[in-house]
Amino acid sequence: MATLDAPADAPSAPVGTGARRRGVLGLVLVVVLGLLAVGEVVVVGRAESRIATEVGAELGAPVEVDITSRPAAFGVLGGQIDTLSLTAAAVPLERQPVVIERLEVEATGIAFDGDVVTDGAATFRAVLAEDQVRAAVPVLLAGLLEVTDEALVVDAGLLRIPLALSVADDALIVRPDGAVGEAAIALLGDLDGLVDPIPLHSPDGVVVTGVVVEPDGLVFSGTLDPVVLSR
């Protein structure tokens, strides 16, 4: 009687082949991600450096730029920066005898066409230190001004007049604050034009919207339109 031979076993894959393949794919993935990360760092770093150089030259002060949106390289190459922070120190004000101690800018939705910004919005915060506040007011008044933690005060020895500050029509509005201030002005009259608006002479595109007193000095805030950068 004829017998049927059992079918031969199919050749098996070498032990460990699947694991090696997964290891190779993982290594390739790591290399690709590493290259992308390097590209991100290079492209974004160059953009930050160029913007810092251009804005620093415009402001006349050293500038630090941080493109905070990630990933950002493809956007930068395509003419788009989602979010950007800029800081500058010791910024001289044009046509003014004062220096901004610290300038902080937050920009969003920046779009470029070549090196020209076509869209975007930005807000700023500018700190004017106490000595610079004195430099911006009449000489006779400068020696009487004092910046406390929360207020600007005229210190005339036995009489201390707190001041309320606001901004309107590109001018700093200074008014006596509270009953003490009102009584002092009624008694002494106008302190060397103190209650007259002080023009800010903001550069084109700079809109100052507010001012507060902090321990560091007067802090002005506002918007920038248009946003001027270089990619």
Side-chain angles (χ1 to χ4, degrees):
M1 178 182 300
T3 59
L4 297 175
D5 296 331
D9 293 336
S12 59
V15 178
T17 299
R20 284 197 297 272
R21 287 177 179 171
R22 288 192 295 273
V24 170
L25 291 176
L27 178 60
V28 170
L29 181 60
V30 169
V31 171
V32 170
L33 291 177
L35 291 174
L36 289 176
V38 171
E40 174 86 4
V41 171
V42 170
V43 172
V44 173
R46 286 178 177 173
E48 290 174 340
S49 178
R50 184 170 179 182
I51 292 172
T53 299
E54 294 290 337
V55 176
E58 181 71 21
L59 294 178
V63 170
E64 293 184 3
V65 173
D66 182 14
I67 296 176
T68 52
S69 52
R70 290 290 187 273
F74 290 114
V76 170
L77 293 174
Q80 181 77 34
I81 297 176
D82 291 335
T83 58
L84 176 148
S85 297
L86 180 151
T87 59
V91 180
L93 281 182
E94 187 176 356
R95 304 191 306 274
Q96 297 294 315
V98 296
V99 174
I100 296 174
E101 182 177 50
R102 181 176 176 83
L103 174 65
E104 302 171 351
V105 176
E106 298 290 333
T108 60
I110 305 300
F112 291 91
D113 182 4
D115 279 345
V116 179
V117 178
T118 58
D119 196 10
T123 59
F124 72 86
R125 182 177 182 274
V127 179
L128 200 63
E130 184 172 351
D131 62 331
Q132 298 302 307
V133 175
R134 293 195 183 100
V137 300
V139 175
L140 294 179
L141 182 61
L144 303 178
L145 285 180
E146 177 186 344
V147 177
T148 67
D149 288 349
E150 298 179 351
L152 185 65
V153 175
V154 174
D155 186 354
L158 297 177
L159 184 64
R160 289 172 60 85
I161 307 173
L163 304 175
L165 306 177
S166 61
V167 174
D169 299 325
D170 197 39
L172 178 65
I173 310 301
V174 182
R175 292 287 183 267
D177 192 20
V180 174
E182 295 288 355
I185 293 299
L187 177 63
L188 301 176
D190 188 3
L191 299 180
D192 194 16
L194 177 64
V195 297
D196 293 337
I198 301 174
L200 296 177
H201 302 293
S202 300
D204 292 342
V206 176
V207 180
V208 181
T209 57
V211 59
V212 296
V213 180
E214 295 185 359
D216 293 336
L218 299 190
V219 180
F220 293 87
S221 57
T223 61
L224 301 176
D225 185 15
V227 179
V228 180
L229 301 171
S230 181
R231 177 162 57 99

